[in-house]
Amino acid sequence: MTQTRYYPTRSPEPEKEKTGGGGGGGGGTAMRVIVPLQGVVQGRGGLVLGSIIPCALFYFLQFYLKRNRDDPDDQNESSSPPQNPTTPSPSSEQLTELPALTRSLSRPLLSPRNPSGPIPISGRVSGIVKGAESPYYIGLRRIKEDPYDELDNPNGVIQLGLAENKLSLDLVKDWLAEHANEAILGNGKELSICGIATYQPFDGLMELKVAVAGFMSQVIEKAVTFNPSQIVLTAGATPAIEILSFCLADTGNAFLVPTPCYPGFDRDLKWRTGVEIIHVPCRSADNFNLSITALDISFNQAKKRGLKVRGIIISNPSNPVGNILSRETLYSLLDFAREKNIHIVSNEIFAGSTHGNEEFVSMAEIIEPEDIDRKRVHIVYGLSEDLCLPGFRVGVIYSLNEDVLAAAKKLTRFSAISAPTQRLLISMLSDSRFVQTFIRANRERLQRMYVQFVAGLEKMGIKSIRSGGGFYCWADMSGLISSYSERGEVELWDRLLNIGKVNVTPGSCCHCIEPGWFRFCVAILTEKDIPVVMDRIQKVLKPAN
Amino acid sequence: MRLVVPLQGVVQGRGGLIFGSLIPCALFYFLQLYLKRHRSPNSQSNPPSPSASTQNLAEMSRTSSRSNLLSRGSIGPVRISSLATSICKPNESPYYIGLDKASEDPYDRIGNPDGVIQLGLSENRLCFDLIEKWMLENLNDSIRGREGGDLSISGIASYQPLDGTMELKMAMAGFLSRIMGGAVSFEPSQIVLTAGATPAIETLCFCLADHGNAFLVPTPYYPGFDRDMRWRTGVELIPVHCRSTDNFVLSISALDQAFNQTRKHGTKIRGILLSNPANPVGNLLSREMLCDLLDFAREKNIHIISDEIFAGSIYGNEEFVSIADVVDSEDFDKSRVHIVYGLSKDLSLPGFRVGMIYSFNENVLAAARKLTRFSSISAPTQRLLVSMLSDTRFIEEYMVTNKKRIRNMRDLFVAGLEGLGIRCADSSAGLYCWADMSKLIPSYGEKGELELWDKLLNVAKINMTPGSACHCIEPGWFRCCFTTLDKEDIPVVMERIRKVADTRTSRS
């Protein structure tokens, strides 16, 4: 079986023929089996390929193994000598007397040796602790130290980097002022402490699921119904995404994420799950719209690197750009996912914050209940953005895959919503008059802010991509950066933060492939703030112009 | 490990040909075959490889993929992760089966007198009246802010620090030292708040151990540890068995043995996970024992996680000593000590989902703070708790009443069991009786224990937690949580147990 063929040439063409159709799509990846020692046996050349290479590899492999094995030994060995004298041999009956003995023994033994250094923490979080901070988080911290306030701190930093909607906070406030008490404790008459103090289902109360399902349909403004039994509630959309990541992929697997994307994905998807993210670059020439071709290329490249791709994660409406995926694109995505047999996670957290005339199509609308593909589609939602309640920490997983639902339900033990908050939300979301008014008013205000902000930027000659949803304005400031690179971009960001005192998110945090793009969160401002922001930006730009 | 130098046999001419050349070459050959095999499915799925320019590809690949799909057969179901595959099945542990059963058909004296009586869930319902009263009086002010008029909405609606507000940390620190009799003071900046003690434990586990590492856990232990510590972290739990002859008190020699055995298997141990007061037994670790444990941990250079969630539910005369107290008073390395606490037991608020990590290790705190993004407490709840915990008069009254009531219930429950000839382990804290029912089991083994558990659940309609769910090494022990009961329920429980006991004795 071994003495088949040996090709002295390395050109890819004959290789392809030889491996009989196994030729890889990327071209040139077909593998040729090098028969060891064949050079020696058959007497023609190939000594290097047949013997020296494998032998050298084997040699290094041993080195590698040796090195990796030493490590734990060293650490544990250093502490092992003192424990031998104390190893207990007597029968378990007498063991109770031993602790005193071990103690007296171990103490003197310890003192001559140096303490074994600081105690290590786990490898997986040491990166989290040390990791260099991205501008995104530096900016957020600066805000915390010196927040702008029209009256109290007019020279503070203006926050345009956090995804928060303060436009309709007053509506929520009014509602809470009126209803908070009875919402938590029942109708005032019959108070049910058992309903909030005792253990509740970790994946959320059924009443709240029903209310959330209703809210989601209302927000989408279409005849899409969400089945409450397919909802799992979590303490925020962040854990919802992480739980899905735990459910869909194993350590070392990968997800495709079109860029520019939400900067938090790097934490949510990867930190604890050990999953990798493969960025699929979208470009300004296409208005940062996703193309299936780019997906396909990234998918193949990942495969070539030996990564198993388990799914695509899209944001719709997209964060930061604000694009809304067309029905056609969603169908193509589904085709692509089917062809590759992978999952689709659709983050629709801005579904209720659409403000253009474009139609928003939820993945839930595309997928029919009997569709075999329903098992690969998962939707993430939350109340942080659409209901202005990030402090409440309410996230939603909506999935049609029973296994994923069952697993996610069990994982909510690590991330459940507090019962008083659930009660509060049940009454808030069931108050349909409030919900209707809120959604309408919120959209209007968002639209108004967005238009004003974009107009302000345009006056300074800064163009932005037309957004159909979300809180952001995705602006092209590439003409204003000192060098067309990430460095130039971060420099401008730094000047905006420290001179202009506005905190924005540079495109590099969103893994945008083109430098010079910035994300401005407009929903966090009041109308009065806009001229201030524009002035400050203008101030920064002047020297560059 | 001896290094085998490849080709040395050939070069030096003495033997070793097999070691030096044939083995590596053979290995290399198989490696290639392996790689080849694993790559081929990939290459088959790629026929419509895109080569045209980027502009007009969107449609092209779509049409080609469609037609390709039709020609090929449909693919199997989409895969989910191995974690999800293993946990999506229904619960198999008696602990969870019992809980489910009891929640489907809960006992109610009037409404459902034939329902299942829940003794398996650790919940304290003895003082709900006090909490209810407080809420009625204070809820309004606490959520809206003291002034009542101007609701500071942005304080609850907008983003808050994910690891908890400083106000709540301070309130928690005060509450903790209060329940520990003022012996220890807790530093609010060393507190990280999480949505329940469960994520607190998991977060610590992520911070202290890597995949494949292990923790030593004295048995019998809380059945939930198997999920909290292992599921997502990939960490192993090594049971360290404690025995009834010692009243289930931990011994350092048993720890040491378990440590050495585990090491021999090549598993790295990163820490000890303690419950103090112990769940399920309810005994306390003495100051001396805590010192020994700290010595042990230093000697092996490992961490200690001390789960002190029952610290405020002490009803015996024994004094509770927190590990924070011990490291404060003596010269120990603090950086390896981490405490877990929560309000689910001592303040009877499991529905609020409030847990905390208290650590002396800056790195662990930094990492844990960042990980709270996955498990933070809702802001309205934080508000509510800040005022509740700061109301010292209420807390004082609550603590005293709660201890008294737990003690009364326990005395009644233990007396009832003793009337049936069932002995309980000595305990001075917690919400449980750890009862020795080994006389009632049909065969001395786990099978016998589960048979009795099954009979109790399905015939007598009582859900208890069998010792095997707590990894107890001796069969026949059961954990009964008595704080979910009313006093009037106790005779009912005893009657139901008696029935099971009688069928056993009449048969034998």
Side-chain angles (χ1 to χ4, degrees), chain A residues 34 62 83 103 122-124 164 177 191 199 246 250 268 293 328 338-339 343 391 410 413 418 421, chain B residues 4 32 57 62 75 79 81-82 89 123 132 144 157-158 206 209-210 228 260 292 300 373 378 381:
Chain A
I34 298 172
Q62 289 178 72
Q83 90 212 10
R103 191 174 172 203
S122 70
R124 56 183 154 204
E164 197 169 338
L191 166 107
Y199 276 106
F246 268 115
D250 291 312
D268 303 349
T293 333
E328 180 67 5
R338 184 189 303 135
E339 187 193 320
H343 294 272
K410 291 199 179 168
R413 68 191 274 109
S418 188
T421 303
Chain B
V4 178
Q32 289 178 73
L57 265 187
R62 181 159 182 214
I75 335 162
R79 274 204 52 193
S81 72
S82 39
K89 291 169 205 123
E123 206 167 64
E132 194 171 274
R144 293 191 197 171
S158 56
F206 269 113
D210 285 304
D228 304 347
N260 290 330
D292 290 339
K300 311 293 188 199
R373 68 191 275 111
S378 186
T381 303

Side-chain angles (χ1 to χ4, degrees), chain B residues 297-407:
Chain B
R298 172 161 55 182
E299 190 188 311
K300 311 293 188 199
N301 197 21
I302 56 179
H303 293 272
I304 295 184
I305 300 178
S306 177
D307 176 3
E308 303 188 350
I309 196 161
F310 292 106
S313 305
I314 316 279
Y315 50 76
N317 300 320
E318 230 178 313
E319 181 212 11
F320 169 73
V321 184
S322 166
I323 200 163
D325 189 5
V326 178
V327 290
D328 259 351
S329 53
E330 283 187 56
D331 181 32
F332 285 106
D333 176 13
K334 292 183 177 186
S335 64
R336 65 180 80 249
V337 174
H338 318 279
I339 296 171
V340 171
Y341 187 69
L343 297 181
S344 304
K345 315 295 177 194
D346 288 350
L347 209 56
S348 327
L349 293 176
F352 278 42
R353 313 302 309 137
V354 179
M356 70 172 245
I357 296 169
Y358 187 75
S359 170
F360 297 94
N361 187 317
E362 264 321 306
N363 286 329
V364 171
L365 283 173
R369 261 182 221 127
K370 292 199 178 172
L371 293 181
T372 51
R373 68 191 275 111
F374 302 114
S375 185
S376 49
I377 311 170
S378 186
T381 303
Q382 297 201 43
R383 268 282 176 88
L384 197 58
L385 286 171
V386 170
S387 21
M388 189 186 272
L389 296 178
S390 321
D391 186 346
T392 46
R393 217 162 46 89
F394 165 73
I395 294 292
E396 209 56 60
E397 183 198 340
Y398 175 87
M399 296 307 301
V400 173
T401 320
N402 189 33
K403 278 185 186 176
K404 208 161 53 190
R405 291 186 183 169
I406 297 180
R407 181 189 210 127

Side-chain angles (χ1 to χ4, degrees), chain A residues 3 11 19 28 43 59 64 89 119 147 152 189 195 213 217 234 274 281 334 343 345 353 357 416 454 492 500 513:
Chain A
Q3 64 277 42
S11 71
T19 39
Y59 191 56
Y64 174 74
S89 44
I119 181 142
D152 296 339
K189 289 159 246 156
S217 321
T234 58
L334 207 55
H343 294 272
V345 176
S353 303
N357 302 320
V454 168
L492 178 58
I513 199 173

Side-chain angles (χ1 to χ4, degrees), chain A residues 393-457:
Chain A
R393 317 295 311 137
V394 179
V396 179
I397 296 172
Y398 185 79
S399 171
L400 295 157
N401 186 321
E402 292 81 13
D403 289 342
V404 171
L405 279 175
K409 270 181 195 160
K410 291 199 179 168
L411 292 180
T412 50
R413 68 191 274 109
F414 302 112
S415 189
I417 310 168
S418 188
T421 303
Q422 296 201 46
R423 296 278 167 210
L424 201 56
L425 286 170
I426 291 170
S427 9
M428 187 187 274
L429 297 180
S430 314
D431 184 345
S432 55
R433 210 164 47 91
F434 163 74
V435 170
Q436 263 170 13
T437 331
F438 178 88
I439 294 177
R440 200 172 342 103
N442 189 41
R443 279 210 167 102
E444 273 169 25
R445 295 177 187 185
L446 203 56
Q447 169 78 358
R448 195 156 2 111
M449 278 301 282
Y450 176 76
V451 170
Q452 284 184 27
F453 195 88
V454 168
L457 284 182

Side-chain angles (χ1 to χ4, degrees), chain A residues 73-95:
Chain A
D73 280 351
D74 283 351
Q75 272 185 13
N76 281 344
E77 225 61 57
S78 63
S79 56
S80 63
Q83 90 212 10
N84 292 335
T86 66
T87 27
S89 44
S91 62
S92 49
E93 275 78 356
Q94 303 157 309
L95 282 186

